[in-house]
Amino acid sequence: MNKQGKSTRRTEAAEASKQAILDAAETVFAEKGYDAASLQEICDLAGVTRGLPNYFFGSKEGLYRAVLARTFTHAQELVTFIHEQAHAPGVNAQEILRVVIERLFDDLTTHPTFVRLTEWEALHGARYLGNLPSQFQLLREAIHALQEDLGWQGDAEQFLIALTALCWFPTAHAETFLRPLGVDVHDPNFHARYKQHVVHLLLGDIPDHPNTD
C-alpha cells in the first residue's frame, strides 16, 4: 500500500474513533451529567484508549462542549430546511411550519439524550450550554428564517418557546408526569395523536402566507 493509501486509512480510523468517543460521551453525560461522568467510562464504552479523548478534544470539558454542540445538528437541519423551502415557487408557510413542528417532535422523541443533557444543564445553571455560541447562532437563525425567509407576521420568539416546550415535555417528563397518568410516550398511537395536537395548537389559527416573490 502506498503512503497516500495508508494516510487515508489512518484518517478514516481516527475519524471513526472520534465519532465513537462522541457517541459514548453523549450517552454517559446524558445518563450521569458532566460532574459524575468519567473519561475512563467513556473510553470503555467507546472501545478506545484512555488518551484519545484528550488528543481529539483537549480535555473532558472540551469533549463535553463538543457533545453539546453536536446535539444541535438536527435543529440546524430544520433551519436549513426553512431557508431552502421558503424560496421555492408557490411556497405555503403554514405547511413548512407543519413539517418543522413534526420533524422537531420526532427528533426530540427519538433522541432523548439531547433532552437529558439539557435538563442536566438546567440543573446546574446552564454553565456550559448557556455560553455555547452555536446555540445562540441557531436561535437567531431560526427567528430570522421565520420572519425574513417566510415573511411570517407572527411572534417568532413566542412560537419557538411554545414549539420547544410542547415537543419537549413528553420526553423530559415521561416518568414524572405522564406515566402516572397512564400515558406511555413510546406508544405509537399516543405519539401520533399528540404530535397532531401540537400542530393544531401552534398552527390552527395561523393563516397561510404564500411567498409572492
Side-chain angles (χ1 to χ4, degrees):
M1 181 179 294
N2 59 34
K3 290 183 178 180
Q4 184 177 357
K6 290 180 179 179
S7 177
T8 299
R9 289 189 60 182
R10 283 197 297 269
T11 300
E12 291 175 348
E15 184 59 28
S17 295
K18 184 176 181 179
Q19 292 305 314
I21 293 169
L22 284 169
D23 291 341
E26 184 172 329
T27 298
V28 175
F29 285 134
E31 179 182 346
K32 297 186 173 183
Y34 176 79
D35 292 329
S38 73
L39 285 179
Q40 186 60 62
E41 185 176 8
I42 292 169
C43 291
D44 291 343
L45 183 59
V48 300
T49 58
R50 176 62 178 78
L52 272 185
N54 286 341
Y55 173 77
F56 287 122
F57 305 100
S59 64
K60 176 182 174 181
E61 180 179 328
L63 173 58
Y64 184 62
R65 289 182 181 276
V67 167
L68 290 178
R70 193 179 70 154
T71 59
F72 285 96
T73 300
H74 295 286
Q76 182 61 62
E77 290 172 353
L78 287 180
V79 174
T80 300
F81 171 80
I82 295 175
H83 285 315
E84 293 174 346
Q85 295 299 310
H87 300 288
V91 64
N92 183 305
Q94 187 163 348
E95 186 56 36
I96 292 175
L97 291 177
R98 178 185 299 275
V99 174
V100 169
I101 293 168
E102 292 179 345
R103 284 176 55 175
L104 179 63
F105 182 84
D106 289 340
D107 283 341
L108 290 179
T109 54
T110 56
H111 296 89
T113 53
F114 172 70
V115 174
R116 294 184 185 125
L117 283 166
T118 309
E119 292 291 303
W120 279 112
E121 277 292 295
L123 287 171
H124 294 88
R127 57 185 175 183
Y128 296 107
L129 188 58
N131 296 308
L132 194 67
S134 59
Q135 181 193 23
F136 293 126
Q137 182 63 26
L138 175 64
L139 294 176
R140 284 194 294 266
E141 287 184 13
I143 291 175
H144 182 274
L146 291 172
Q147 294 176 333
E148 302 298 328
D149 289 357
L150 287 183
W152 185 48
Q153 300 303 310
D155 189 323
E157 290 181 356
Q158 294 297 323
F159 177 83
L160 289 176
I161 292 171
L163 169 61
T164 305
L166 289 167
C167 294
W168 192 277
F169 189 86
T171 298
H173 294 288
E175 302 299 326
T176 54
F177 283 98
L178 298 185
R179 187 169 293 280
L181 290 174
V183 174
D184 179 5
V185 298
H186 302 294
D187 179 0
N189 183 51
F190 167 78
H191 185 98
R193 287 189 298 110
Y194 184 74
K195 179 164 62 174
Q196 292 311 306
H197 179 64
V198 172
V199 170
H200 176 73
L201 286 175
L202 293 174
L203 298 183
D205 297 322
I206 297 177
D208 294 343
H209 291 281
N211 190 340
T212 58
D213 292 341

